[in-house]
Amino acid sequence: MREAEGRAETTEKKTLEGRRAVVTGGASGIGAACVRAFAAAGATITVADLNEEAAKALADEVGGTAWVADLSGTAALDDLELETDILVNNAGIQRSAPVEEFVPVNWRFIQRLMLEASFHLCRAALPGMYERGFGRIINISSIRGLIASPYKSAYITAKHGLQGLTKTLALEGAEQGVTAYCIAPSYVRTPLVERQIADQARINGISEDDVLEKIMLANSPIKRLVEPDEVGSLAVWLASDNSGMVTGPT
Ligand code: NAD
């Protein structure tokens, strides 16, 4: 009996076996959690990231490939062709300043990296997805893709744009087996957020614990940071065959 159970376990197909996944910003934080979760579910991974050392180390860890690129260089993406079943548009940064002080070059950089590059990668991946009748586009938006806050105009604009792009992708891909979905978390425990906590503590002259409790989580029903693995686990489900009826909304 035990032997038979063992056999069943080893022959069971993993959720993402046979699938290829590209994860942008895959070398850190949420992207790295998606990479590890996808790999554990059987997918073959491309870690796309600016950080060469971290991208290669993680690609080696999961038996995947590193694609070292500055994805803000969108002109280089015009003629890109991307053979993948799953695309996670995740690479992102944060810069804060009031609109009248926002440095234009920073504003444009954020639009290119977080919105335009996502369009280019989808554009490059869709023909193959349509041909095979299967595709999963997972865009990592944010609560800031739904609700604004002061001083983050570039990030908020890019994330709202990503929501619009995702809804359009969902409509265009629905009859062709391609779904598109935004994951829109609040604060996730990653280097990006750890930097923000330290900055806020310094600016407001309060402790990091107070930053979390009184500023970041004040309006959140869940009074803790989200863990990257929790996002990775949702991404695995969204990337799977089981999620075919979920497309468009956040
Ligand atoms: P992170 O800083 O841990 O990781 C971001 C990754 O993007 C890094 O590996 C970095 O090297 C890569 N990257 C940065 N610029 C790049 C470029 N020009 N080209 C290619 N790669 C580049 O950040 P994170 O917190 O994991 O954030 C990932 C995504 O999740 C972002 O889009 C962010 O907006 C979103 N998000 C984060 C949170 C959060 O609380 N951490 C909440 C909601 C949404």
Side-chain angles (χ1 to χ4, degrees):
M1 177 68 184
R2 223 176 269 150
E3 209 177 296
E5 277 168 9
R7 259 204 312 278
E9 236 168 65
T10 48
T11 53
E12 193 184 330
K13 193 171 177 275
K14 290 183 175 178
T15 324
L16 302 184
E17 210 167 287
R19 300 293 188 203
R20 295 159 299 176
V22 174
V23 181
T24 75
S28 173
I30 293 171
C34 289
V35 165
R36 290 195 173 97
F38 286 170
T44 306
I45 316 287
T46 300
V47 181
D49 206 288
L50 180 65
N51 184 333
E52 179 171 359
E53 200 184 330
K56 286 185 172 164
L58 186 53
D60 283 351
E61 178 191 315
V62 300
T65 309
W67 173 22
V68 179
D70 178 353
L71 294 170
S72 73
T74 46
L77 303 177
D78 276 1
D79 299 320
L80 182 72
E81 290 173 17
L82 200 58
E83 286 299 325
T84 189
D85 307 299
I86 302 157
L87 169 63
V88 181
N89 286 303
N90 164 77
I93 60 164
Q94 180 63 274
R95 292 285 179 274
S96 302
V99 170
E100 70 278 15
E101 291 171 19
F102 218 103
V103 179
V105 76
N106 290 347
W107 210 89
R108 284 195 292 267
F109 182 91
I110 287 180
Q111 305 316 311
R112 287 202 311 274
L113 174 61
M114 293 168 57
L115 180 55
E116 291 179 28
S118 302
F119 155 75
H120 281 284
L121 268 65
C122 291
R123 182 175 180 274
L126 279 172
M129 290 178 174
Y130 287 161
E131 207 177 293
R132 292 184 293 276
F134 179 91
R136 296 286 183 263
I137 295 172
I138 302 169
N139 291 327
I140 306 298
S141 177
S142 160
I143 186 70
R144 298 293 162 231
L146 303 168
I147 301 169
S149 71
Y151 313 128
K152 294 178 180 171
S153 60
Y155 185 94
I156 286 164
T157 302
K159 293 299 193 191
H160 274 69
L162 194 58
Q163 299 275 150
L165 173 64
T166 308
K167 289 175 192 171
T168 310
L169 288 164
L171 292 173
E172 293 185 10
E175 292 296 314
Q176 310 193 63
V178 176
T179 63
Y181 198 83
C182 276
I183 299 181
S186 180
Y187 291 105
V188 184
R189 192 190 307 278
T190 71
L192 182 144
V193 156
E194 276 154 5
R195 281 191 294 272
Q196 284 184 57
I197 296 172
D199 285 351
Q200 290 279 344
R202 189 173 31 79
I203 291 163
N204 295 296
I206 57 177
S207 71
E208 295 196 0
D209 283 349
D210 279 352
V211 170
L212 267 182
E213 190 186 326
K214 295 183 179 148
I215 301 179
M216 287 183 160
L217 302 177
N219 295 320
S220 172
I222 297 174
K223 299 290 180 197
R224 65 172 176 83
L225 292 177
V226 172
E227 299 300 333
D229 288 354
E230 295 178 286
V231 182
S233 148
L234 174 57
V236 167
W237 183 78
L238 286 171
S240 74
D241 290 2
N242 298 327
S243 72
M245 80 302 184
V246 174
T247 191
T250 300

